Amino acid sequence: MVDEPYEKDAYIRAKRRVEEVRGFYSHLISYIVVNAFLAIINFFTTPGFWWFLFISFFWGIGLVAHGSSVFMKRGIFSKEWEDKKIKEYMEKEKE
């Protein structure tokens, strides 16, 4: 399919990126569907106490973390950070 090594590496990175983005959107859709379902259940069972908001809030924190890891280019644990740390540890081992 792809002949040159650079193009093959670029293809693999692009494919991995697409999988990460698809994973985030799957997570987002699950969040919306499940929380809508919980809101309906909450409305009909205990309308005076909105307990589903606790679930939405804490799950939302996880969703934001997932989104930031996918869409932020220079996060604390980004690919650039990881490459920098690998080089740093390799240089320490040479000493």
Side-chain angles (χ1 to χ4, degrees), residues 24 27-28 30-32 35 38 52-68:
F24 170 74
H27 188 181
L28 178 62
S30 298
Y31 176 82
I32 292 168
N35 281 297
L38 291 175
F52 87 96
L53 292 176
F54 295 106
I55 297 167
S56 298
F57 176 74
F58 289 108
W59 190 353
I61 291 171
L63 185 64
V64 168
H66 188 179
S68 67

PDB file of all heavy atoms in Angstrom, residues 24 27-28 30-32 35 38 52-68:
ATOM      1  N   PHE A  24     -12.679   8.997  21.379  1.00  0.00           N
ATOM      2  CA  PHE A  24     -13.240  10.113  22.139  1.00  0.00           C
ATOM      3  C   PHE A  24     -14.704  10.336  21.765  1.00  0.00           C
ATOM      4  O   PHE A  24     -15.551  10.521  22.634  1.00  0.00           O
ATOM      5  CB  PHE A  24     -12.450  11.402  21.923  1.00  0.00           C
ATOM      6  CG  PHE A  24     -13.158  12.597  22.497  1.00  0.00           C
ATOM      7  CD1 PHE A  24     -13.192  12.798  23.871  1.00  0.00           C
ATOM      8  CD2 PHE A  24     -13.825  13.487  21.686  1.00  0.00           C
ATOM      9  CE1 PHE A  24     -13.874  13.874  24.419  1.00  0.00           C
ATOM     10  CE2 PHE A  24     -14.517  14.565  22.220  1.00  0.00           C
ATOM     11  CZ  PHE A  24     -14.531  14.765  23.588  1.00  0.00           C
ATOM     12  N   HIS A  27     -16.903   7.816  23.287  1.00  0.00           N
ATOM     13  CA  HIS A  27     -17.057   8.137  24.706  1.00  0.00           C
ATOM     14  C   HIS A  27     -18.093   9.251  24.883  1.00  0.00           C
ATOM     15  O   HIS A  27     -18.966   9.177  25.757  1.00  0.00           O
ATOM     16  CB  HIS A  27     -15.696   8.547  25.262  1.00  0.00           C
ATOM     17  CG  HIS A  27     -15.654   8.717  26.742  1.00  0.00           C
ATOM     18  ND1 HIS A  27     -14.516   9.106  27.396  1.00  0.00           N
ATOM     19  CD2 HIS A  27     -16.578   8.581  27.715  1.00  0.00           C
ATOM     20  CE1 HIS A  27     -14.754   9.198  28.689  1.00  0.00           C
ATOM     21  NE2 HIS A  27     -16.008   8.885  28.908  1.00  0.00           N
ATOM     22  N   LEU A  28     -18.015  10.279  24.035  1.00  0.00           N
ATOM     23  CA  LEU A  28     -18.941  11.403  24.106  1.00  0.00           C
ATOM     24  C   LEU A  28     -20.379  10.959  23.834  1.00  0.00           C
ATOM     25  O   LEU A  28     -21.311  11.348  24.560  1.00  0.00           O
ATOM     26  CB  LEU A  28     -18.534  12.493  23.115  1.00  0.00           C
ATOM     27  CG  LEU A  28     -19.444  13.719  23.029  1.00  0.00           C
ATOM     28  CD1 LEU A  28     -19.484  14.457  24.369  1.00  0.00           C
ATOM     29  CD2 LEU A  28     -18.966  14.633  21.915  1.00  0.00           C
ATOM     30  N   SER A  30     -21.618   7.951  24.223  1.00  0.00           N
ATOM     31  CA  SER A  30     -22.050   7.150  25.371  1.00  0.00           C
ATOM     32  C   SER A  30     -22.459   8.053  26.529  1.00  0.00           C
ATOM     33  O   SER A  30     -23.479   7.808  27.190  1.00  0.00           O
ATOM     34  CB  SER A  30     -20.932   6.228  25.837  1.00  0.00           C
ATOM     35  OG  SER A  30     -20.577   5.323  24.841  1.00  0.00           O
ATOM     36  N   TYR A  31     -21.675   9.086  26.778  1.00  0.00           N
ATOM     37  CA  TYR A  31     -21.969  10.038  27.849  1.00  0.00           C
ATOM     38  C   TYR A  31     -23.337  10.677  27.650  1.00  0.00           C
ATOM     39  O   TYR A  31     -24.160  10.733  28.571  1.00  0.00           O
ATOM     40  CB  TYR A  31     -20.868  11.113  27.875  1.00  0.00           C
ATOM     41  CG  TYR A  31     -21.094  12.219  28.868  1.00  0.00           C
ATOM     42  CD1 TYR A  31     -20.752  12.054  30.204  1.00  0.00           C
ATOM     43  CD2 TYR A  31     -21.633  13.441  28.474  1.00  0.00           C
ATOM     44  CE1 TYR A  31     -20.951  13.073  31.128  1.00  0.00           C
ATOM     45  CE2 TYR A  31     -21.833  14.459  29.384  1.00  0.00           C
ATOM     46  CZ  TYR A  31     -21.483  14.276  30.710  1.00  0.00           C
ATOM     47  OH  TYR A  31     -21.688  15.287  31.613  1.00  0.00           O
ATOM     48  N   ILE A  32     -23.597  11.135  26.441  1.00  0.00           N
ATOM     49  CA  ILE A  32     -24.864  11.809  26.158  1.00  0.00           C
ATOM     50  C   ILE A  32     -26.043  10.849  26.289  1.00  0.00           C
ATOM     51  O   ILE A  32     -27.042  11.167  26.944  1.00  0.00           O
ATOM     52  CB  ILE A  32     -24.821  12.452  24.756  1.00  0.00           C
ATOM     53  CG1 ILE A  32     -23.821  13.613  24.745  1.00  0.00           C
ATOM     54  CG2 ILE A  32     -26.209  12.932  24.333  1.00  0.00           C
ATOM     55  CD1 ILE A  32     -23.487  14.138  23.367  1.00  0.00           C
ATOM     56  N   ASN A  35     -26.487   9.536  30.037  1.00  0.00           N
ATOM     57  CA  ASN A  35     -26.949  10.585  30.946  1.00  0.00           C
ATOM     58  C   ASN A  35     -28.360  11.046  30.616  1.00  0.00           C
ATOM     59  O   ASN A  35     -29.127  11.390  31.522  1.00  0.00           O
ATOM     60  CB  ASN A  35     -25.963  11.748  30.975  1.00  0.00           C
ATOM     61  CG  ASN A  35     -24.782  11.428  31.856  1.00  0.00           C
ATOM     62  OD1 ASN A  35     -24.925  11.232  33.050  1.00  0.00           O
ATOM     63  ND2 ASN A  35     -23.606  11.323  31.247  1.00  0.00           N
ATOM     64  N   LEU A  38     -30.469   8.360  32.163  1.00  0.00           N
ATOM     65  CA  LEU A  38     -30.492   8.527  33.619  1.00  0.00           C
ATOM     66  C   LEU A  38     -31.358   9.718  34.037  1.00  0.00           C
ATOM     67  O   LEU A  38     -32.053   9.665  35.059  1.00  0.00           O
ATOM     68  CB  LEU A  38     -29.079   8.686  34.167  1.00  0.00           C
ATOM     69  CG  LEU A  38     -28.186   7.450  34.102  1.00  0.00           C
ATOM     70  CD1 LEU A  38     -26.774   7.789  34.567  1.00  0.00           C
ATOM     71  CD2 LEU A  38     -28.768   6.322  34.927  1.00  0.00           C
ATOM     72  N   PHE A  52     -28.824  12.220  39.109  1.00  0.00           N
ATOM     73  CA  PHE A  52     -28.078  11.921  37.889  1.00  0.00           C
ATOM     74  C   PHE A  52     -27.013  12.981  37.597  1.00  0.00           C
ATOM     75  O   PHE A  52     -26.038  12.721  36.883  1.00  0.00           O
ATOM     76  CB  PHE A  52     -29.025  11.760  36.685  1.00  0.00           C
ATOM     77  CG  PHE A  52     -29.350  13.049  35.985  1.00  0.00           C
ATOM     78  CD1 PHE A  52     -28.635  13.433  34.864  1.00  0.00           C
ATOM     79  CD2 PHE A  52     -30.362  13.872  36.437  1.00  0.00           C
ATOM     80  CE1 PHE A  52     -28.928  14.619  34.208  1.00  0.00           C
ATOM     81  CE2 PHE A  52     -30.666  15.048  35.799  1.00  0.00           C
ATOM     82  CZ  PHE A  52     -29.948  15.427  34.676  1.00  0.00           C
ATOM     83  N   LEU A  53     -27.168  14.184  38.172  1.00  0.00           N
ATOM     84  CA  LEU A  53     -26.174  15.239  37.963  1.00  0.00           C
ATOM     85  C   LEU A  53     -24.817  14.883  38.574  1.00  0.00           C
ATOM     86  O   LEU A  53     -23.774  15.291  38.051  1.00  0.00           O
ATOM     87  CB  LEU A  53     -26.677  16.564  38.538  1.00  0.00           C
ATOM     88  CG  LEU A  53     -27.867  17.185  37.801  1.00  0.00           C
ATOM     89  CD1 LEU A  53     -28.341  18.438  38.531  1.00  0.00           C
ATOM     90  CD2 LEU A  53     -27.523  17.486  36.363  1.00  0.00           C
ATOM     91  N   PHE A  54     -24.817  14.119  39.665  1.00  0.00           N
ATOM     92  CA  PHE A  54     -23.556  13.684  40.261  1.00  0.00           C
ATOM     93  C   PHE A  54     -22.802  12.769  39.294  1.00  0.00           C
ATOM     94  O   PHE A  54     -21.597  12.905  39.094  1.00  0.00           O
ATOM     95  CB  PHE A  54     -23.793  12.957  41.587  1.00  0.00           C
ATOM     96  CG  PHE A  54     -24.370  13.842  42.660  1.00  0.00           C
ATOM     97  CD1 PHE A  54     -25.704  13.728  43.025  1.00  0.00           C
ATOM     98  CD2 PHE A  54     -23.586  14.799  43.286  1.00  0.00           C
ATOM     99  CE1 PHE A  54     -26.246  14.542  43.995  1.00  0.00           C
ATOM    100  CE2 PHE A  54     -24.116  15.620  44.274  1.00  0.00           C
ATOM    101  CZ  PHE A  54     -25.456  15.494  44.629  1.00  0.00           C
ATOM    102  N   ILE A  55     -23.534  11.851  38.701  1.00  0.00           N
ATOM    103  CA  ILE A  55     -22.929  10.935  37.729  1.00  0.00           C
ATOM    104  C   ILE A  55     -22.427  11.720  36.523  1.00  0.00           C
ATOM    105  O   ILE A  55     -21.304  11.522  36.051  1.00  0.00           O
ATOM    106  CB  ILE A  55     -23.948   9.856  37.303  1.00  0.00           C
ATOM    107  CG1 ILE A  55     -24.342   9.019  38.510  1.00  0.00           C
ATOM    108  CG2 ILE A  55     -23.388   8.987  36.181  1.00  0.00           C
ATOM    109  CD1 ILE A  55     -25.550   8.144  38.307  1.00  0.00           C
ATOM    110  N   SER A  56     -23.259  12.641  36.028  1.00  0.00           N
ATOM    111  CA  SER A  56     -22.877  13.455  34.874  1.00  0.00           C
ATOM    112  C   SER A  56     -21.630  14.274  35.165  1.00  0.00           C
ATOM    113  O   SER A  56     -20.745  14.394  34.314  1.00  0.00           O
ATOM    114  CB  SER A  56     -24.020  14.397  34.486  1.00  0.00           C
ATOM    115  OG  SER A  56     -25.147  13.676  34.101  1.00  0.00           O
ATOM    116  N   PHE A  57     -21.563  14.833  36.362  1.00  0.00           N
ATOM    117  CA  PHE A  57     -20.418  15.671  36.719  1.00  0.00           C
ATOM    118  C   PHE A  57     -19.117  14.871  36.744  1.00  0.00           C
ATOM    119  O   PHE A  57     -18.128  15.250  36.105  1.00  0.00           O
ATOM    120  CB  PHE A  57     -20.655  16.332  38.084  1.00  0.00           C
ATOM    121  CG  PHE A  57     -19.482  17.138  38.560  1.00  0.00           C
ATOM    122  CD1 PHE A  57     -19.191  18.365  37.993  1.00  0.00           C
ATOM    123  CD2 PHE A  57     -18.658  16.662  39.576  1.00  0.00           C
ATOM    124  CE1 PHE A  57     -18.099  19.108  38.424  1.00  0.00           C
ATOM    125  CE2 PHE A  57     -17.571  17.384  40.013  1.00  0.00           C
ATOM    126  CZ  PHE A  57     -17.287  18.624  39.433  1.00  0.00           C
ATOM    127  N   PHE A  58     -19.099  13.763  37.474  1.00  0.00           N
ATOM    128  CA  PHE A  58     -17.855  13.007  37.610  1.00  0.00           C
ATOM    129  C   PHE A  58     -17.466  12.309  36.309  1.00  0.00           C
ATOM    130  O   PHE A  58     -16.283  12.246  35.957  1.00  0.00           O
ATOM    131  CB  PHE A  58     -17.938  12.030  38.781  1.00  0.00           C
ATOM    132  CG  PHE A  58     -17.909  12.734  40.103  1.00  0.00           C
ATOM    133  CD1 PHE A  58     -19.040  12.828  40.887  1.00  0.00           C
ATOM    134  CD2 PHE A  58     -16.753  13.352  40.549  1.00  0.00           C
ATOM    135  CE1 PHE A  58     -19.020  13.503  42.099  1.00  0.00           C
ATOM    136  CE2 PHE A  58     -16.716  14.044  41.751  1.00  0.00           C
ATOM    137  CZ  PHE A  58     -17.851  14.113  42.530  1.00  0.00           C
ATOM    138  N   TRP A  59     -18.439  11.814  35.581  1.00  0.00           N
ATOM    139  CA  TRP A  59     -18.155  11.227  34.278  1.00  0.00           C
ATOM    140  C   TRP A  59     -17.669  12.325  33.325  1.00  0.00           C
ATOM    141  O   TRP A  59     -16.780  12.113  32.502  1.00  0.00           O
ATOM    142  CB  TRP A  59     -19.390  10.539  33.737  1.00  0.00           C
ATOM    143  CG  TRP A  59     -19.182   9.698  32.511  1.00  0.00           C
ATOM    144  CD1 TRP A  59     -18.058   9.574  31.755  1.00  0.00           C
ATOM    145  CD2 TRP A  59     -20.151   8.858  31.892  1.00  0.00           C
ATOM    146  NE1 TRP A  59     -18.269   8.720  30.714  1.00  0.00           N
ATOM    147  CE2 TRP A  59     -19.562   8.264  30.772  1.00  0.00           C
ATOM    148  CE3 TRP A  59     -21.476   8.570  32.182  1.00  0.00           C
ATOM    149  CZ2 TRP A  59     -20.237   7.395  29.938  1.00  0.00           C
ATOM    150  CZ3 TRP A  59     -22.146   7.693  31.348  1.00  0.00           C
ATOM    151  CH2 TRP A  59     -21.542   7.110  30.244  1.00  0.00           C
ATOM    152  N   GLY A  60     -18.241  13.525  33.475  1.00  0.00           N
ATOM    153  CA  GLY A  60     -17.825  14.667  32.658  1.00  0.00           C
ATOM    154  C   GLY A  60     -16.367  15.027  32.877  1.00  0.00           C
ATOM    155  O   GLY A  60     -15.660  15.414  31.939  1.00  0.00           O
ATOM    156  N   ILE A  61     -15.902  14.909  34.106  1.00  0.00           N
ATOM    157  CA  ILE A  61     -14.486  15.157  34.387  1.00  0.00           C
ATOM    158  C   ILE A  61     -13.622  14.178  33.591  1.00  0.00           C
ATOM    159  O   ILE A  61     -12.627  14.563  32.973  1.00  0.00           O
ATOM    160  CB  ILE A  61     -14.194  15.049  35.895  1.00  0.00           C
ATOM    161  CG1 ILE A  61     -14.849  16.206  36.639  1.00  0.00           C
ATOM    162  CG2 ILE A  61     -12.689  15.018  36.163  1.00  0.00           C
ATOM    163  CD1 ILE A  61     -14.800  16.079  38.150  1.00  0.00           C
ATOM    164  N   GLY A  62     -14.025  12.916  33.588  1.00  0.00           N
ATOM    165  CA  GLY A  62     -13.297  11.921  32.804  1.00  0.00           C
ATOM    166  C   GLY A  62     -13.360  12.203  31.316  1.00  0.00           C
ATOM    167  O   GLY A  62     -12.372  12.025  30.593  1.00  0.00           O
ATOM    168  N   LEU A  63     -14.503  12.658  30.858  1.00  0.00           N
ATOM    169  CA  LEU A  63     -14.670  12.985  29.442  1.00  0.00           C
ATOM    170  C   LEU A  63     -13.780  14.163  29.044  1.00  0.00           C
ATOM    171  O   LEU A  63     -13.142  14.143  27.987  1.00  0.00           O
ATOM    172  CB  LEU A  63     -16.139  13.302  29.147  1.00  0.00           C
ATOM    173  CG  LEU A  63     -16.508  13.539  27.701  1.00  0.00           C
ATOM    174  CD1 LEU A  63     -16.295  12.281  26.874  1.00  0.00           C
ATOM    175  CD2 LEU A  63     -17.955  13.997  27.599  1.00  0.00           C
ATOM    176  N   VAL A  64     -13.713  15.175  29.881  1.00  0.00           N
ATOM    177  CA  VAL A  64     -12.839  16.323  29.612  1.00  0.00           C
ATOM    178  C   VAL A  64     -11.377  15.880  29.587  1.00  0.00           C
ATOM    179  O   VAL A  64     -10.603  16.309  28.716  1.00  0.00           O
ATOM    180  CB  VAL A  64     -13.069  17.448  30.650  1.00  0.00           C
ATOM    181  CG1 VAL A  64     -11.986  18.502  30.577  1.00  0.00           C
ATOM    182  CG2 VAL A  64     -14.438  18.070  30.446  1.00  0.00           C
ATOM    183  N   ALA A  65     -10.990  15.029  30.519  1.00  0.00           N
ATOM    184  CA  ALA A  65      -9.618  14.528  30.536  1.00  0.00           C
ATOM    185  C   ALA A  65      -9.323  13.737  29.262  1.00  0.00           C
ATOM    186  O   ALA A  65      -8.242  13.888  28.662  1.00  0.00           O
ATOM    187  CB  ALA A  65      -9.391  13.660  31.767  1.00  0.00           C
ATOM    188  N   HIS A  66     -10.267  12.905  28.842  1.00  0.00           N
ATOM    189  CA  HIS A  66     -10.091  12.133  27.612  1.00  0.00           C
ATOM    190  C   HIS A  66      -9.963  13.075  26.416  1.00  0.00           C
ATOM    191  O   HIS A  66      -9.076  12.911  25.578  1.00  0.00           O
ATOM    192  CB  HIS A  66     -11.271  11.177  27.429  1.00  0.00           C
ATOM    193  CG  HIS A  66     -11.114  10.215  26.315  1.00  0.00           C
ATOM    194  ND1 HIS A  66     -12.065   9.281  26.017  1.00  0.00           N
ATOM    195  CD2 HIS A  66     -10.130  10.019  25.402  1.00  0.00           C
ATOM    196  CE1 HIS A  66     -11.678   8.563  24.986  1.00  0.00           C
ATOM    197  NE2 HIS A  66     -10.502   9.004  24.586  1.00  0.00           N
ATOM    198  N   GLY A  67     -10.841  14.060  26.340  1.00  0.00           N
ATOM    199  CA  GLY A  67     -10.795  15.015  25.235  1.00  0.00           C
ATOM    200  C   GLY A  67      -9.509  15.810  25.205  1.00  0.00           C
ATOM    201  O   GLY A  67      -8.926  16.023  24.136  1.00  0.00           O
ATOM    202  N   SER A  68      -9.043  16.232  26.353  1.00  0.00           N
ATOM    203  CA  SER A  68      -7.792  17.005  26.380  1.00  0.00           C
ATOM    204  C   SER A  68      -6.605  16.146  25.980  1.00  0.00           C
ATOM    205  O   SER A  68      -5.686  16.623  25.322  1.00  0.00           O
ATOM    206  CB  SER A  68      -7.573  17.640  27.754  1.00  0.00           C
ATOM    207  OG  SER A  68      -7.349  16.657  28.731  1.00  0.00           O
TER     208      SER A  68
END
